[in-house]
């Protein structure tokens, strides 16, 4: 029963802070959830978002551009989740429908609930150990799909999820089966 504990004890039991003699320190979890700027201490914990004009990395657009849009997203886990979803929303097509009551209904080309689950899984399940110096998340929006890729210390990409536009389904790669439970929660096929 948390109500009987002091605020400090609740924060310690929740894994938000650690104490040492008279000092109080935030844990990594505390910094990533409540820190003002976690990347000031852990610069590798960001999300890199790009829009690629084509269907493969290296394709260029009509004016020779490599990317149509790109952004490095930083902040707490919650801030990175919301900013990443905003970036995706801004860069995917949205159909406008009128429902039976005459009200406008925006229909994004990808299911936002599934995208939220995939991005949240990437943020929550990435390796936060101190030895991971380049453990960032890479969101690539292509003409025909969105890929959410976890880049680990070895710089070998490990796919978390890919959304195929023509099938309207998310596939969870075999390497990352620990994410499949969350995907099933939003009706996504493995």
């Amino acid at each position: 029963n948390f109500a009987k504990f002091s605020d400090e004890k609740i924060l310690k039991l929740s894994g938000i802070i650690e104490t040492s003699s008279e000092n109080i320190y935030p844990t990594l979890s505390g910094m990533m959830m409540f820190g003002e700027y976690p990347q000031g201490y852990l610069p590798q914990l960001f999300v890199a978002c790009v829009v690629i004009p084509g269907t493969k990395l290296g394709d260029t657009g009509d004016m020779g551009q490599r990317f149509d849009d790109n952004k490095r997203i930083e902040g707490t886990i919650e801030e990175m989740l919301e900013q990443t979803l905003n970036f995706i929303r801004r860069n995917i097509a949205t159909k406008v429908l009128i429902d039976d009551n005459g009200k406008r209904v925006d229909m994004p080309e990808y299911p936002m609930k599934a995208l939220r689950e995939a991005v949240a899984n990437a943020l929550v399940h990435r390796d936060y150990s101190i030895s991971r110096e380049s453990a960032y998340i890479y969101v690539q929006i292509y003409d025909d799909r969105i890929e959410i890729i976890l880049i680990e210390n070895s710089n070998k990409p490990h796919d978390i999820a890919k959304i195929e536009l023509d099938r309207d389904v998310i596939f969870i790669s075999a390497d990352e089966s620990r994410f499949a439970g969350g995907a099933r929660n939003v009706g996504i096929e493995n």
Side-chain angles (χ1 to χ4, degrees):
N1 187 352
F2 271 176
K4 65 182 177 182
F5 297 127
S6 69
D7 289 347
E8 185 178 321
K9 177 92 172 176
I10 291 170
L11 291 171
K12 188 167 179 158
L13 289 171
S14 299
I16 304 300
I17 63 168
E18 285 293 328
T19 55
S20 169
S21 37
E22 296 297 315
N23 297 319
I24 299 173
Y25 303 97
T27 62
L28 178 58
S29 298
M31 286 180 57
M32 292 308 298
M33 293 301 297
F34 303 108
E36 286 186 13
Y37 183 59
Q39 288 74 22
Y41 300 96
L42 303 157
Q44 72 276 19
L45 300 180
F46 65 92
V47 180
C49 297
V50 297
V51 178
I52 297 163
T55 58
K56 65 183 184 308
L57 197 57
D59 284 353
T60 57
D62 297 339
M63 298 183 323
Q65 76 275 19
R66 292 188 55 200
F67 306 119
D68 286 334
D69 194 2
N70 66 21
K71 185 172 184 174
R72 178 184 170 117
I73 296 175
E74 300 175 323
T76 64
I77 289 175
E78 182 180 4
E79 291 167 342
M80 288 188 288
L81 174 62
E82 292 308 317
Q83 289 178 45
T84 301
L85 292 173
N86 288 340
F87 179 90
I88 293 170
R89 243 183 242 106
R90 186 177 72 240
N91 285 291
I92 62 173
T94 301
K95 295 177 183 175
V96 177
L97 307 172
I98 306 299
D99 70 11
D100 293 338
N101 297 321
K103 293 185 179 177
R104 174 188 169 130
V105 177
D106 291 339
M107 182 76 64
E109 71 180 309
Y110 296 97
M112 291 309 296
K113 185 176 180 182
L115 284 166
R116 181 178 196 83
E117 183 70 26
V119 173
N121 278 340
L123 287 166
V124 170
H125 293 291
R126 80 164 137 199
D127 186 350
Y128 283 96
S129 67
I130 198 69
S131 65
R132 298 297 186 189
E133 293 179 7
S134 57
Y136 65 94
I137 296 167
Y138 200 17
V139 176
Q140 299 172 328
I141 301 175
Y142 293 92
D143 290 347
D144 62 346
R145 70 191 181 281
I146 297 174
E147 294 183 8
I148 300 168
I149 300 169
L150 180 61
I151 306 294
E152 293 188 330
N153 198 31
S154 65
N155 287 325
K156 177 184 173 196
H158 294 278
D159 292 347
I160 291 174
K162 289 183 183 180
I163 299 175
E164 301 289 340
L165 174 60
D166 57 344
R167 297 194 197 170
D168 205 21
V169 114
I170 291 181
F171 293 95
I172 306 298
S173 70
D175 291 8
E176 301 298 334
S177 60
R178 67 184 186 263
F179 303 110
R184 280 192 292 277
N185 291 337
V186 291
I188 301 167
E189 199 174 295
N190 281 339

